[in-house]
Amino acid sequence: MRIVKGVGEMQNFSREQRAKGRTIGLVPTMGFLHEGHLSLVREAVKQCDCTVVSIFVNPTQFGPNEDLDSYPRDFERDKKLCEKEKVDAIFFPQEQEMYKKPLTFVEVKELSRLLCGKSRPTHFQGVTTVVAKLFNIVRPHRAYFGLKDFQQFVIIKKMVDDLNFDLELVGCPIVRERDGLAMSSRNHYLSPEERKQAVVLNRALSKAQKMFGSGEKNPRKVRKAVLDCIAATSSRVDYVEIVDSESLQPVQEIKKGNLIALAVFFGKTRLIDNRLFE
Ligand code: PAF
């Protein structure tokens, strides 16, 4: 497995792979890999001749008072996990390699201002900028993203369509802990008590699905039930919204395929989760 730190070296590696007729799968990550990331890696290894995992804690997607400095990092552990999964290369650039006083940013308007964008107004511009750069550096045929970050996936899809990136996006299902908590590197921040309480998110989403399954189509009633469920814990809700899964705009009546998405703070840790109504 190659560890590639330079942009030029990564571009050469990908050029060689393409020249040999090999398909490249990219799994973009910020490291501290968990089963959610590994499910993307396994999918890439299955579908592509060459799998590249990028590990870069991207500063431009963190707001001024967010957790950039404390974001968990463990490259040696990540390396072992990637080796085990038969990853071909890790792209592991330093910040100076990725950002040289840039004046160019990629912004997907409107979609980036909804849901998480309301409380994290610069977040998605940071994500789309770094993902566009990774696409230009790694030149993948396919790129794999987890659907826990559903809004991120919708926004990246729009960017790929708008800017004609020649690649296929693959969205992979949320991977959950045994008790239902969606896997996230940020779960690491939770105290034992917060960790116990955080299972309420999946329970609240299940409650929403159950109500819809029993015929409830009123988003206000379903949202209220979800909020009531969460209110039983000592958490702080950032948002709970029921939206169209493409436009991310609120719906007046819930239909199959609509999305319920939420963000909730447990202590200082902000967790997100979502579900598509079935
Ligand atoms: O989902 C993430 O881990 C990040 O937002 C991504 C896509 C790797 C960009 O930094």
Side-chain angles (χ1 to χ4, degrees):
M1 186 178 72
R2 290 257 297 254
I3 310 294
V4 181
K5 294 192 171 175
V7 167
E9 195 194 336
M10 189 66 240
Q11 284 170 325
N12 287 340
F13 176 83
S14 291
R15 198 176 297 118
E16 283 160 20
Q17 295 298 316
R18 281 181 169 257
K20 288 181 194 156
R22 286 161 66 84
T23 53
I24 302 171
L26 169 65
V27 183
T29 80
M30 297 206 299
F32 209 67
L33 305 180
H34 52 66
E35 272 303 309
H37 297 114
L38 298 181
S39 71
L40 309 180
V41 170
R42 286 177 197 130
E43 208 52 33
V45 169
K46 218 188 305 164
Q47 295 181 356
C48 306
D49 301 317
C50 167
T51 296
V52 178
V53 173
S54 65
I55 297 181
F56 180 60
V57 182
N58 172 38
T60 65
Q61 68 189 76
F62 289 80
N65 298 315
E66 292 184 354
D67 55 339
L68 173 61
D69 292 338
S70 56
Y71 196 84
R73 295 159 167 91
D74 190 343
F75 182 69
E76 287 309 314
R77 183 176 156 276
D78 291 345
K79 200 167 98 180
K80 282 194 194 115
L81 289 169
C82 287
E83 234 150 19
K84 201 162 156 234
E85 297 298 336
K86 309 228 170 334
V87 166
D88 297 273
I90 298 182
F91 179 50
F92 183 52
Q94 295 304 296
E95 188 180 335
Q96 316 82 277
E97 183 68 8
M98 286 297 273
Y99 294 113
K100 299 184 169 140
K101 298 192 181 148
L103 298 175
T104 309
F105 297 90
V106 180
E107 188 192 359
V108 176
K109 289 182 184 292
E110 292 172 29
L111 292 174
S112 297
R113 294 281 164 180
L114 304 169
L115 303 178
C116 289
K118 287 184 191 160
S119 58
R120 306 186 75 193
T122 56
H123 171 66
F124 288 112
Q125 179 181 294
V127 171
T128 40
T129 301
V130 82
V131 170
K133 286 167 72 68
L134 290 169
F135 287 170
N136 283 328
I137 296 166
V138 179
R139 300 267 324 280
H141 296 83
R142 296 196 189 90
Y144 297 80
F145 294 88
L147 292 176
K148 181 172 76 70
D149 298 288
F150 197 95
Q151 181 177 16
Q152 170 172 281
F153 188 78
V154 170
I155 289 172
I156 291 171
K157 189 165 179 300
K158 185 71 181 132
M159 175 187 83
V160 164
D161 288 348
D162 286 351
L163 298 183
N164 306 103
F165 279 103
D166 185 16
L167 54 85
E168 183 192 336
L169 283 186
V170 184
C172 300
I174 298 177
V175 179
R176 295 182 182 279
E177 302 282 358
R178 273 162 176 266
D179 63 5
L181 179 66
M183 292 210 181
S184 162
S185 303
R186 288 190 168 101
N187 292 349
H188 179 72
Y189 297 143
L190 298 168
S191 69
E193 183 50 34
E194 289 162 353
R195 172 64 187 79
K196 239 189 261 167
Q197 296 201 348
V199 297
V200 75
L201 301 183
N202 185 47
R203 281 208 202 113
L205 294 173
S206 300
K207 165 106 189 149
Q209 168 59 40
K210 212 164 164 201
M211 285 175 79
F212 177 66
S214 322
E216 183 56 73
K217 296 197 170 80
N218 184 330
R220 279 180 304 279
K221 286 194 186 157
V222 173
R223 183 171 178 274
K224 178 164 182 321
V226 166
L227 287 169
D228 287 347
C229 221
I230 298 171
T233 63
S234 49
S235 57
R236 180 166 63 82
V237 172
D238 181 6
Y239 70 81
V240 173
E241 291 196 39
I242 298 174
V243 298
D244 176 89
S245 62
E246 280 178 26
S247 69
L248 305 181
Q249 292 291 343
V251 295
Q252 299 307 315
E253 187 186 272
I254 308 175
K255 293 196 179 70
K256 197 171 152 218
N258 286 159
L259 178 79
I260 176 161
L262 50 78
V264 177
F265 285 91
F266 293 85
K268 285 187 179 159
T269 308
R270 185 178 177 277
L271 299 181
I272 58 172
D273 203 344
N274 70 76
R275 184 168 300 198
L276 290 168
F277 286 101
E278 292 164 11

